[in-house]
Amino acid sequence: MTLVPPLHGDAASSAFEQRLYAKVTRRALPLLFLCYILAYLDRVNVGFAKLQMVGDLKFSESVYGLGAGVFFIGYFLFEIPSNLILHRVGARRWIARILVTWGLASAATMLVSTPLMFYVMRFLLGVAEAGFFPGAILYLTYWFPAARRGRITALLMLAVPLAGVVGGPLSGWILQNLDGAHGLSGWRWMFLIEGLPSILVGAIVFFALEDNIEKAGWLSDSEKRLLADNLAADHAAHASHSFRDAMRDAKVWILCLVYFGIVMGLYGVGFWLPTLVQATGVGRPLDIGLLSAAPYAVASVAMLLGGISADKYRERRWHLALPCALGAVGLVASGLFAADTATALIALTVASAGTMTALPLFWSCPTAFLRGVAAAGGIALINSVGNLAGFASPYMVGFIKDQTQRADYGLYALALFMAMSAILVVVAIPSRLVDR
């Protein structure tokens, strides 16, 4: 058993606490981080599959947009029960189940041959993955007090842009180099190759993830006590409530709208970025993949800096509102300069940086005032309602493009939703609620 060294004064105590939370971060975060990379990659790689699949299967832009978005219908229907089950049975078993089933569903998408099959497989992928992200956010509340969660959540959500940095070139390489191998199209190989790792990591989660502080064998009794005391002090400021209380809280529904707007921008970029890059005149899939990685690389830096700044200044509202506004500006600019590869890519980079920086900063808001069952259900409610934008966003862009033969109108519509989120945060979310 590791013994806590004797402490002499606040400085020594603070230094020990910092080392302890660094230790917890090293043990709890990397595996969740890897899981989230795989989740986001399996969710949006359909954007790269579109480069070949739409032509192979004779899908319209609207069919693609509906199929990309129907994932979130399954996600919406099963997210709240999934997160409540996680709260009851523990993160280790439930997150492992989620990974294995979504890996199977993602890999099986290689078998799609009709619009109906496409819709069904995307729906099943959403059902399988439902609960992972809000479960991961809930899991962090079992270890970290509110004052530390801005940075930790930002670290976890770095998986989103990193999935783009890694997944773009990987997907482009598979499409370009495996197309026709053993009689299979490149997009079919892509779904298979990128789906199987989730199954393997699901098995690792089952054996490696700890459910909570008490079950962590790598912590001493003194370390467990300090972590538990910090959480208890944090919870004392906000009493635990029921899921029904969360449903009746107007702030929860306002946050649903804020998140809806952010997700409209996120998946507008995520599902259409390869197509937007291709529309500027880039032809080869690998080149599209490499160029698509650039916005995500910049966004990863912006996301981390935003989380660090929000924790340092104990300020959440403006740290959330300003990136939302920046995302709106970037989306408008990417539509205005769509014909020029370099300028459009810069604008898409601004849009990606703003949208993705807003993600972790948003999740520090509901976790600041929801506790217990209200946290499990409330987080899932916000995420599931907000993620309906994941259905609306790609379908809206595809429909607008089919009707007008112009992609920029869809980008302007997405920008309006991002602007709505910025305004709601400033007008409707009290600083005293989240700034701590």
Side-chain angles (χ1 to χ4, degrees):
M1 179 182 293
T2 303
L3 297 178
V4 178
L7 302 178
H8 303 286
D10 292 340
S13 177
S14 177
F16 173 73
E17 189 170 316
Q18 291 290 353
R19 290 195 299 272
L20 175 57
Y21 276 107
K23 178 181 178 180
V24 172
T25 300
R26 288 194 300 270
R27 291 299 298 259
L29 197 61
L31 188 53
L32 285 179
F33 186 82
L34 175 60
C35 292
Y36 199 24
I37 287 177
L38 295 174
Y40 196 77
L41 179 60
D42 285 345
R43 185 183 300 184
V44 303
N45 59 6
V46 70
F48 279 93
K50 176 182 182 291
L51 299 176
Q52 293 179 350
M53 182 174 67
V54 167
D56 283 356
L57 302 181
K58 305 299 188 291
F59 287 175
S60 69
E61 299 289 332
S62 296
V63 167
Y64 163 73
L66 179 58
V70 80
F71 166 95
F72 292 98
I73 301 300
Y75 201 87
F76 171 77
L77 293 175
F78 288 88
E79 183 144 7
I80 293 175
S82 179
N83 218 37
L84 293 174
I85 292 172
L86 183 147
H87 185 64
R88 179 177 300 173
V89 307
R92 178 179 63 87
R93 285 184 288 176
W94 198 246
I95 290 178
R97 191 284 304 163
I98 290 172
L99 272 120
V100 171
T101 52
W102 100 47
L104 291 171
S106 182
T109 308
M110 70 178 290
L111 303 175
V112 163
S113 60
T114 67
L116 179 59
M117 289 179 67
F118 183 42
Y119 301 152
V120 169
M121 291 313 304
R122 289 292 294 176
F123 177 81
L124 291 177
L125 181 63
V127 171
E129 193 187 316
F132 170 73
F133 175 70
I137 294 296
L138 179 65
Y139 183 73
L140 294 179
T141 70
Y142 298 161
W143 298 85
F144 298 96
R148 294 181 179 271
R149 281 201 296 269
R151 187 175 306 183
I152 294 301
T153 306
L155 286 171
L156 173 64
M157 298 196 74
L158 276 174
V160 173
L162 187 59
V165 171
V166 174
L170 174 62
S171 298
W173 185 90
I174 293 171
L175 291 179
Q176 185 166 306
N177 291 282
L178 295 184
D179 190 31
H182 300 284
L184 294 177
S185 301
W187 64 269
R188 297 187 190 275
W189 279 112
M190 188 203 70
F191 281 124
L192 177 64
I193 291 171
E194 295 180 358
L196 293 179
S198 298
I199 302 171
L200 174 62
V201 174
I204 295 172
V205 166
F206 184 80
F207 292 103
L209 197 68
E210 303 287 356
D211 281 330
N212 51 47
I213 293 170
E214 284 303 313
K215 294 183 179 180
W218 42 273
L219 290 173
S220 71
D221 290 341
S222 300
E223 289 171 329
K224 291 179 181 179
R225 188 163 53 251
L226 176 58
L227 293 172
D229 288 347
N230 285 350
L231 287 178
D234 189 51
H235 292 177
H238 296 272
S240 179
H241 299 290
S242 69
F243 178 47
R244 181 177 296 179
D245 292 330
M247 291 280 289
R248 292 173 174 173
D249 192 334
K251 298 184 295 295
V252 170
W253 293 102
I254 291 170
L255 288 174
C256 285
L257 288 176
V258 172
Y259 194 54
F260 187 93
I262 294 172
V263 174
M264 285 293 287
L266 175 68
Y267 289 114
V269 173
F271 285 129
W272 290 95
L273 180 59
T275 301
L276 294 171
V277 173
Q278 184 185 51
T280 65
V282 181
R284 297 199 318 159
L286 181 56
D287 293 338
I288 294 171
L290 290 170
L291 288 174
S292 297
Y296 289 110
V298 174
S300 65
V301 177
M303 180 184 288
L304 184 60
L305 292 177
I308 291 173
S309 177
D311 278 356
K312 178 180 179 181
Y313 294 104
R314 300 287 183 93
E315 198 284 325
R316 310 290 174 186
R317 281 199 317 159
W318 288 105
H319 276 83
L320 175 56
L322 291 177
C324 288
L326 187 66
V329 171
L331 286 167
V332 170
S334 64
L336 292 174
F337 301 102
D340 180 77
T341 300
T343 308
L345 196 62
I346 291 171
L348 287 168
T349 299
V350 172
S352 298
T355 303
M356 293 186 186
T357 299
L359 281 176
L361 295 170
F362 171 84
W363 284 110
S364 65
C365 294
T367 57
F369 66 91
L370 293 173
R371 295 289 180 269
V373 176
I379 290 169
L381 174 66
I382 293 168
N383 195 54
S384 59
V385 172
N387 268 306
L388 286 177
F391 169 76
S393 180
Y395 181 66
M396 181 187 73
V397 173
F399 179 79
I400 291 174
K401 188 175 180 182
D402 271 344
Q403 297 300 312
T404 66
Q405 305 305 309
R406 292 184 59 166
D408 57 333
Y409 288 167
L411 295 173
Y412 302 150
L414 296 176
L416 287 175
F417 282 97
M418 290 294 297
M420 173 198 73
S421 294
I423 293 169
L424 278 176
V425 169
V426 175
V427 172
I429 304 297
S431 60
R432 58 176 172 74
L433 188 71
V434 297
D435 292 349
R436 61 190 187 90

